[in-house]
Amino acid sequence: MLGKVASLLQRVGPSASHNAFLTRCFLHGSLLRIHPSVSEALASQEPVVALESTIITHGMPYPHNLRTAQEVEGIVRASGATPATVGVLGGRVHVGLSEEELCFLARSEAPLKVSRRDLPYALSQGLSGGTTVSATMTAAHRAGIPVFVTGGVGGVHRGGESTMDVSADLTELGRTPVAVVSAGVKSILDIGRTLEYLETQGVCVATFGSSRDFPAFFAPRSGFVSPYNVKDEREAAALIASALALGLGSGVLIAVPIPEEQAAVGQEIEEAIQRALTESRDKGISGREVTPFVLKRVSELTQGKSLEANMALIRNNAAVGSGIARALATLRQEGQTPSTRRERQTDQASAVVIGGINVDFIAKVKQEKLVMGQTNPGSVGQSFGGVGRNLADCLTRLGAQPLFISALGVDALSESALSYCTHMNTSGVARLQDHSTATYCAVITEKGELGVGVGDMDIHQRITEQYVSRFEERLATASLVCLDGNIPVSTIDYVCGIASKHRVPVWFEPTNVDKACKPFLSDSWKALSFFSPNLAELRAVNQALGLPVPAAVPSSLDDVLGSAVALSRPLLEHLRCVVVTLGPHGVLLCGDAEGGAVSLQGAEYKHQPGGRLCGVHYPAIPISAGDIVNVSGAGDSLAAGLMAGMLQGQDSDTCVKMGLLAADMSLRSHDPVSPALSSTTVSPEQVRARRWPPVTWQWPG
């Protein structure tokens, strides 16, 4: 076996093995370290502000640099956010620095100035240095931090039309979705061309305040105007939220004018800048030499006032940026970004889904049977799944807008997953450093049946009781809470306790036979309202409760239906309904017979002794084997479609048929949940427009 592997590596060449190494490094975070305080804040959906470190290593002398860095971090904390100063130490990008690490950078004698261009070299050589705007944006985006505060951004240098001297900050703003809060650009740069370049890069630029005047670092007005202005932190947060939700891939520049109390000093500095520029022209200084000459000369002319003004300006930006980050966090927690906001009756009408999110790799062989031990011809694709994610995705597409609570790593896969899920309320998804995003690899046959699956789901155990308790208010007022079997038993017990106390209905989706029994290991299951197992999972639950079960799962449809009703009966002493999924045979709804149907509505349900229990069998929508593309999300779509009907207040018959419609669409889709699902394609109107096979009633013996 080792010989075959070595031979394969020789055939594919060094580039493939090198790429594999790099992939492992980035996916598992070996090149990126997130400080625990930052990681915890991100996981809690609390505001975080990224800060650059070239101001420490290259912007000011020691000890001014250290004192300013500490003061800025203190301002961010006092404003209710967590500071995340970015730097490179020992060949590793650090997002968030300890006090010792700040001191190390501040005292460094020859630190590297690290832009995006320099990151590979600095990391490969184990070097340390301060990160520029572009490198800080890169790191912030990878860590999941949307707001970054700096003094000023780079721009197009004077004469840049001939020298092509354009700061990497501008191109970074055009390709990295992070909001940069700065005092504009320094007047030593070509501000007009800088704004034109930002427009070309697709960067949304807005001045903070009542005016559209674009600031020039030390001057509140540069003589140029921004395309837009935002009046306060909440308007700025709404702008950023819209940009992120659109998935444009570009950043936002919020230009903050210098405070009024510093304007006079700023004017003095501006006059010194103009004098220094004139001197540079008189001396024949041009190109890249202009900026360092002007900066040195301005410091001399102002006798150090430029340094003091610089520090004051950065402090102001930190306060404004922290307020914006806090407002953005509030918008995300409310799930009310402008581009995804939908009218809701009340917060109490919203559902909550707690469960797993995976990146799925689906391999479909081009033959009826999978041949083990050899390569099977077929196709391989990537999609995004996880039972909880699928349920939340489907509910969202059907208009329910649930809060989704889950966990992801801080890696490339998590970024892809969140980008795919921008239509969902993912404000409850924690991002955890040193944990890998869950992945699932499935090999399916030509007919769409699962041949073998492998899952790396360890991160789901981090959806802990302690983390979920942060959303207790939402849980206590939810119209429905849905749990999948991937989460820990302790989390299930906690949620069931909250639901029992506040009379919130809970739906448990078991995911597989091994996980189906989790709520039934204690009395927590008695707080459930709905349970959606297949027959094997239902049998396992009865067995865990010490109840008699058939020796094997029956095969004929009549025996399957009879067994399902019998196995559901003891659970219905406490549950409102058991929804038994039957694959190609449809679904069996088991519960109390009320008015000729099994009722799904009413949170205060309690089975009445002597009540008539029954099962109602709904056949699946007929579909040929050739039309089945993917079976991995059909059961989840069935459950979510049924839930969507419940949340709309539909009758049981309509709810089940909405679920069957959703399942049929997902069977025909390459994705676990069909992107074509909507409140139009799956609706009571669509149910009424279709001819359905007759339902049959099953009565326990």
Short mmCIF file of all heavy atoms in Angstrom, two decimals, residues 47-94:
data_model
loop_
_atom_site.label_atom_id
_atom_site.label_comp_id
_atom_site.label_asym_id
_atom_site.label_seq_id
_atom_site.Cartn_x
_atom_site.Cartn_y
_atom_site.Cartn_z
N PRO A 47 -19.43 41.75 19.03
CA PRO A 47 -18.66 42.59 18.10
C PRO A 47 -17.15 42.44 18.30
O PRO A 47 -16.66 42.42 19.43
CB PRO A 47 -19.13 44.00 18.44
CG PRO A 47 -19.68 43.91 19.84
CD PRO A 47 -20.26 42.55 19.95
N VAL A 48 -16.44 42.35 17.20
CA VAL A 48 -14.98 42.27 17.19
C VAL A 48 -14.46 43.31 16.20
O VAL A 48 -15.03 43.48 15.13
CB VAL A 48 -14.49 40.86 16.79
CG1 VAL A 48 -12.97 40.81 16.73
CG2 VAL A 48 -15.02 39.81 17.76
N VAL A 49 -13.37 43.99 16.57
CA VAL A 49 -12.77 45.00 15.70
C VAL A 49 -11.34 44.60 15.41
O VAL A 49 -10.53 44.43 16.32
CB VAL A 49 -12.80 46.40 16.36
CG1 VAL A 49 -12.05 47.41 15.50
CG2 VAL A 49 -14.24 46.85 16.57
N ALA A 50 -11.01 44.43 14.13
CA ALA A 50 -9.64 44.14 13.73
C ALA A 50 -8.82 45.43 13.72
O ALA A 50 -9.33 46.50 13.37
CB ALA A 50 -9.62 43.48 12.35
N LEU A 51 -7.56 45.32 14.10
CA LEU A 51 -6.64 46.46 14.13
C LEU A 51 -5.34 46.06 13.46
O LEU A 51 -4.87 44.93 13.62
CB LEU A 51 -6.36 46.90 15.58
CG LEU A 51 -7.58 47.29 16.43
CD1 LEU A 51 -7.19 47.37 17.90
CD2 LEU A 51 -8.17 48.61 15.96
N GLU A 52 -4.73 46.98 12.72
CA GLU A 52 -3.46 46.67 12.06
C GLU A 52 -2.30 46.87 13.02
O GLU A 52 -2.47 47.43 14.12
CB GLU A 52 -3.28 47.55 10.82
CG GLU A 52 -3.38 49.04 11.13
CD GLU A 52 -2.41 49.87 10.33
OE1 GLU A 52 -1.21 49.52 10.36
OE2 GLU A 52 -2.84 50.86 9.72
N SER A 53 -1.11 46.44 12.61
CA SER A 53 0.04 46.55 13.51
C SER A 53 1.23 47.30 12.90
O SER A 53 2.25 47.47 13.57
CB SER A 53 0.50 45.16 13.97
OG SER A 53 0.71 44.30 12.87
N THR A 54 1.12 47.78 11.64
CA THR A 54 2.23 48.58 11.13
C THR A 54 2.34 49.91 11.87
O THR A 54 3.42 50.51 11.91
CB THR A 54 2.11 48.85 9.62
OG1 THR A 54 0.80 49.36 9.33
CG2 THR A 54 2.38 47.61 8.81
N ILE A 55 1.23 50.35 12.46
CA ILE A 55 1.31 51.57 13.26
C ILE A 55 2.20 51.33 14.49
O ILE A 55 2.82 52.25 15.02
CB ILE A 55 -0.10 52.03 13.69
CG1 ILE A 55 -0.03 53.44 14.28
CG2 ILE A 55 -0.72 51.06 14.69
CD1 ILE A 55 -1.38 54.05 14.54
N ILE A 56 2.28 50.07 14.92
CA ILE A 56 3.15 49.72 16.05
C ILE A 56 4.59 49.58 15.58
O ILE A 56 5.52 50.08 16.22
CB ILE A 56 2.67 48.41 16.70
CG1 ILE A 56 1.21 48.52 17.14
CG2 ILE A 56 3.55 48.02 17.87
CD1 ILE A 56 0.61 47.19 17.60
N THR A 57 4.77 48.88 14.46
CA THR A 57 6.13 48.55 14.02
C THR A 57 6.77 49.63 13.18
O THR A 57 8.01 49.75 13.15
CB THR A 57 6.11 47.24 13.21
OG1 THR A 57 5.21 47.39 12.10
CG2 THR A 57 5.66 46.07 14.07
N HIS A 58 5.97 50.44 12.48
CA HIS A 58 6.55 51.42 11.55
C HIS A 58 5.95 52.82 11.66
O HIS A 58 6.48 53.75 11.05
CB HIS A 58 6.37 50.93 10.10
CG HIS A 58 7.13 49.69 9.78
ND1 HIS A 58 6.69 48.43 10.15
CD2 HIS A 58 8.30 49.50 9.13
CE1 HIS A 58 7.56 47.52 9.73
NE2 HIS A 58 8.55 48.14 9.11
N GLY A 59 4.85 52.97 12.39
CA GLY A 59 4.16 54.25 12.39
C GLY A 59 4.64 55.23 13.43
O GLY A 59 4.55 56.45 13.24
N MET A 60 5.13 54.73 14.57
CA MET A 60 5.52 55.60 15.67
C MET A 60 6.74 55.02 16.38
O MET A 60 6.93 53.80 16.40
CB MET A 60 4.38 55.74 16.69
CG MET A 60 3.10 56.33 16.17
SD MET A 60 1.83 56.35 17.45
CE MET A 60 0.44 56.99 16.50
N PRO A 61 7.51 55.88 17.03
CA PRO A 61 8.64 55.37 17.81
C PRO A 61 8.18 54.78 19.14
O PRO A 61 7.09 55.09 19.62
CB PRO A 61 9.50 56.63 18.02
CG PRO A 61 8.52 57.75 18.03
CD PRO A 61 7.46 57.37 17.02
N TYR A 62 9.02 53.93 19.71
CA TYR A 62 8.75 53.39 21.03
C TYR A 62 9.06 54.48 22.07
O TYR A 62 10.05 55.20 21.92
CB TYR A 62 9.63 52.15 21.28
CG TYR A 62 9.42 51.50 22.62
CD1 TYR A 62 8.38 50.60 22.81
CD2 TYR A 62 10.26 51.81 23.70
CE1 TYR A 62 8.17 50.01 24.05
CE2 TYR A 62 10.06 51.22 24.94
CZ TYR A 62 9.01 50.32 25.11
OH TYR A 62 8.81 49.74 26.34
N PRO A 63 8.26 54.69 23.12
CA PRO A 63 7.12 53.87 23.56
C PRO A 63 5.77 54.39 23.08
O PRO A 63 4.73 53.89 23.49
CB PRO A 63 7.22 53.96 25.07
CG PRO A 63 7.71 55.37 25.31
CD PRO A 63 8.64 55.66 24.18
N HIS A 64 5.78 55.46 22.22
CA HIS A 64 4.50 56.00 21.74
C HIS A 64 3.68 54.92 21.03
O HIS A 64 2.45 54.88 21.15
CB HIS A 64 4.74 57.17 20.79
CG HIS A 64 5.43 58.33 21.42
ND1 HIS A 64 4.83 59.14 22.35
CD2 HIS A 64 6.70 58.82 21.27
CE1 HIS A 64 5.68 60.09 22.74
NE2 HIS A 64 6.83 59.92 22.10
N ASN A 65 4.38 54.07 20.29
CA ASN A 65 3.66 53.04 19.53
C ASN A 65 2.93 52.07 20.46
O ASN A 65 1.76 51.73 20.24
CB ASN A 65 4.62 52.29 18.60
CG ASN A 65 5.80 51.68 19.34
OD1 ASN A 65 6.00 51.89 20.53
ND2 ASN A 65 6.62 50.93 18.60
N LEU A 66 3.59 51.63 21.52
CA LEU A 66 2.97 50.68 22.45
C LEU A 66 1.82 51.35 23.19
O LEU A 66 0.74 50.75 23.35
CB LEU A 66 4.01 50.16 23.43
CG LEU A 66 3.48 49.18 24.49
CD1 LEU A 66 2.87 47.94 23.84
CD2 LEU A 66 4.61 48.78 25.46
N ARG A 67 2.05 52.59 23.65
CA ARG A 67 1.00 53.28 24.39
C ARG A 67 -0.24 53.50 23.51
O ARG A 67 -1.38 53.30 23.96
CB ARG A 67 1.52 54.62 24.91
CG ARG A 67 0.50 55.31 25.83
CD ARG A 67 1.08 56.55 26.50
NE ARG A 67 1.26 57.65 25.55
CZ ARG A 67 2.44 58.09 25.17
NH1 ARG A 67 3.56 57.54 25.63
NH2 ARG A 67 2.53 59.11 24.31
N THR A 68 -0.02 53.87 22.26
CA THR A 68 -1.16 54.08 21.36
C THR A 68 -1.91 52.77 21.11
O THR A 68 -3.15 52.75 21.13
CB THR A 68 -0.68 54.68 20.02
OG1 THR A 68 -0.03 55.93 20.27
CG2 THR A 68 -1.83 54.88 19.07
N ALA A 69 -1.17 51.69 20.88
CA ALA A 69 -1.81 50.40 20.64
C ALA A 69 -2.65 49.98 21.84
O ALA A 69 -3.79 49.49 21.70
CB ALA A 69 -0.75 49.34 20.34
N GLN A 70 -2.12 50.18 23.04
CA GLN A 70 -2.86 49.82 24.26
C GLN A 70 -4.09 50.70 24.43
O GLN A 70 -5.16 50.22 24.82
CB GLN A 70 -1.93 49.94 25.47
CG GLN A 70 -0.81 48.90 25.49
CD GLN A 70 0.24 49.20 26.54
OE1 GLN A 70 0.46 50.36 26.92
NE2 GLN A 70 0.93 48.17 27.02
N GLU A 71 -3.93 52.00 24.16
CA GLU A 71 -5.07 52.91 24.29
C GLU A 71 -6.17 52.57 23.30
O GLU A 71 -7.36 52.60 23.64
CB GLU A 71 -4.60 54.35 24.09
CG GLU A 71 -3.77 54.89 25.24
CD GLU A 71 -3.30 56.32 24.98
OE1 GLU A 71 -3.67 56.87 23.92
OE2 GLU A 71 -2.57 56.87 25.82
N VAL A 72 -5.78 52.26 22.06
CA VAL A 72 -6.78 51.93 21.04
C VAL A 72 -7.52 50.65 21.42
O VAL A 72 -8.75 50.59 21.32
CB VAL A 72 -6.10 51.80 19.65
CG1 VAL A 72 -7.07 51.20 18.65
CG2 VAL A 72 -5.63 53.15 19.16
N GLU A 73 -6.79 49.64 21.87
CA GLU A 73 -7.46 48.41 22.32
C GLU A 73 -8.39 48.70 23.49
O GLU A 73 -9.49 48.14 23.58
CB GLU A 73 -6.43 47.35 22.70
CG GLU A 73 -5.72 46.72 21.51
CD GLU A 73 -5.11 45.37 21.86
OE1 GLU A 73 -5.01 45.05 23.06
OE2 GLU A 73 -4.74 44.62 20.92
N GLY A 74 -7.95 49.60 24.40
CA GLY A 74 -8.80 49.98 25.53
C GLY A 74 -10.08 50.68 25.10
O GLY A 74 -11.15 50.44 25.66
N ILE A 75 -9.98 51.53 24.08
CA ILE A 75 -11.17 52.22 23.55
C ILE A 75 -12.15 51.21 22.97
O ILE A 75 -13.37 51.30 23.17
CB ILE A 75 -10.76 53.25 22.49
CG1 ILE A 75 -10.03 54.42 23.16
CG2 ILE A 75 -11.97 53.77 21.71
CD1 ILE A 75 -9.35 55.36 22.18
N VAL A 76 -11.62 50.23 22.23
CA VAL A 76 -12.48 49.21 21.63
C VAL A 76 -13.21 48.43 22.73
O VAL A 76 -14.42 48.20 22.66
CB VAL A 76 -11.65 48.26 20.75
CG1 VAL A 76 -12.51 47.08 20.28
CG2 VAL A 76 -11.08 49.00 19.55
N ARG A 77 -12.48 48.06 23.79
CA ARG A 77 -13.11 47.30 24.89
C ARG A 77 -14.15 48.16 25.60
O ARG A 77 -15.25 47.67 25.92
CB ARG A 77 -12.05 46.85 25.89
CG ARG A 77 -11.10 45.78 25.35
CD ARG A 77 -10.23 45.20 26.47
NE ARG A 77 -9.26 44.26 25.93
CZ ARG A 77 -8.01 44.57 25.60
NH1 ARG A 77 -7.58 45.83 25.78
NH2 ARG A 77 -7.20 43.67 25.12
N ALA A 78 -13.82 49.42 25.86
CA ALA A 78 -14.75 50.32 26.55
C ALA A 78 -16.02 50.55 25.72
O ALA A 78 -17.07 50.87 26.28
CB ALA A 78 -14.08 51.65 26.85
N SER A 79 -15.91 50.38 24.42
CA SER A 79 -17.06 50.57 23.54
C SER A 79 -17.90 49.31 23.40
O SER A 79 -18.86 49.28 22.64
CB SER A 79 -16.59 51.03 22.16
OG SER A 79 -15.87 52.25 22.25
N GLY A 80 -17.52 48.24 24.10
CA GLY A 80 -18.31 47.01 24.09
C GLY A 80 -17.93 46.02 23.02
O GLY A 80 -18.71 45.14 22.68
N ALA A 81 -16.71 46.15 22.47
CA ALA A 81 -16.24 45.22 21.44
C ALA A 81 -14.93 44.58 21.88
O ALA A 81 -14.30 45.01 22.86
CB ALA A 81 -16.08 45.93 20.10
N THR A 82 -14.51 43.57 21.17
CA THR A 82 -13.25 42.88 21.45
C THR A 82 -12.21 43.29 20.41
O THR A 82 -12.46 43.13 19.21
CB THR A 82 -13.43 41.35 21.42
OG1 THR A 82 -14.35 40.97 22.44
CG2 THR A 82 -12.11 40.63 21.63
N PRO A 83 -11.05 43.82 20.85
CA PRO A 83 -10.01 44.18 19.87
C PRO A 83 -9.29 42.95 19.36
O PRO A 83 -9.04 42.00 20.10
CB PRO A 83 -9.07 45.07 20.69
CG PRO A 83 -9.22 44.60 22.10
CD PRO A 83 -10.64 44.13 22.23
N ALA A 84 -8.93 42.97 18.09
CA ALA A 84 -8.18 41.87 17.47
C ALA A 84 -7.05 42.48 16.65
O ALA A 84 -7.17 42.65 15.44
CB ALA A 84 -9.09 41.01 16.60
N THR A 85 -5.96 42.84 17.34
CA THR A 85 -4.80 43.38 16.63
C THR A 85 -4.13 42.25 15.86
O THR A 85 -3.88 41.17 16.41
CB THR A 85 -3.80 44.00 17.62
OG1 THR A 85 -4.46 45.04 18.35
CG2 THR A 85 -2.61 44.59 16.88
N VAL A 86 -3.87 42.48 14.59
CA VAL A 86 -3.30 41.45 13.71
C VAL A 86 -1.81 41.70 13.54
O VAL A 86 -1.38 42.84 13.33
CB VAL A 86 -4.00 41.46 12.34
CG1 VAL A 86 -3.36 40.45 11.39
CG2 VAL A 86 -5.49 41.16 12.50
N GLY A 87 -1.02 40.66 13.64
CA GLY A 87 0.42 40.76 13.43
C GLY A 87 0.98 39.42 13.02
O GLY A 87 0.30 38.39 13.10
N VAL A 88 2.20 39.42 12.55
CA VAL A 88 2.89 38.18 12.19
C VAL A 88 4.01 37.95 13.20
O VAL A 88 4.88 38.80 13.37
CB VAL A 88 3.46 38.26 10.76
CG1 VAL A 88 4.25 37.00 10.43
CG2 VAL A 88 2.34 38.46 9.74
N LEU A 89 3.96 36.83 13.87
CA LEU A 89 4.97 36.48 14.87
C LEU A 89 5.47 35.07 14.61
O LEU A 89 4.68 34.12 14.59
CB LEU A 89 4.41 36.57 16.29
CG LEU A 89 4.16 37.99 16.84
CD1 LEU A 89 2.75 38.44 16.49
CD2 LEU A 89 4.36 38.01 18.34
N GLY A 90 6.77 34.96 14.38
CA GLY A 90 7.37 33.65 14.19
C GLY A 90 6.78 32.85 13.05
O GLY A 90 6.63 31.63 13.16
N GLY A 91 6.45 33.54 11.96
CA GLY A 91 5.92 32.84 10.79
C GLY A 91 4.49 32.39 10.92
O GLY A 91 4.06 31.45 10.24
N ARG A 92 3.73 33.08 11.76
CA ARG A 92 2.32 32.73 11.94
C ARG A 92 1.50 34.01 12.05
O ARG A 92 1.91 34.95 12.74
CB ARG A 92 2.15 31.88 13.20
CG ARG A 92 0.92 31.00 13.20
CD ARG A 92 0.92 30.10 14.42
NE ARG A 92 -0.19 29.15 14.38
CZ ARG A 92 -0.62 28.48 15.44
NH1 ARG A 92 -0.03 28.65 16.60
NH2 ARG A 92 -1.63 27.64 15.33
N VAL A 93 0.38 34.06 11.37
CA VAL A 93 -0.50 35.22 11.46
C VAL A 93 -1.30 35.12 12.75
O VAL A 93 -1.99 34.12 12.99
CB VAL A 93 -1.46 35.29 10.26
CG1 VAL A 93 -2.40 36.48 10.40
CG2 VAL A 93 -0.67 35.41 8.95
N HIS A 94 -1.20 36.15 13.58
CA HIS A 94 -1.94 36.19 14.84
C HIS A 94 -3.08 37.18 14.71
O HIS A 94 -2.87 38.34 14.34
CB HIS A 94 -1.03 36.61 15.99
CG HIS A 94 -0.06 35.55 16.41
ND1 HIS A 94 0.00 35.05 17.69
CD2 HIS A 94 0.90 34.89 15.71
CE1 HIS A 94 0.94 34.13 17.77
NE2 HIS A 94 1.51 34.02 16.58
#
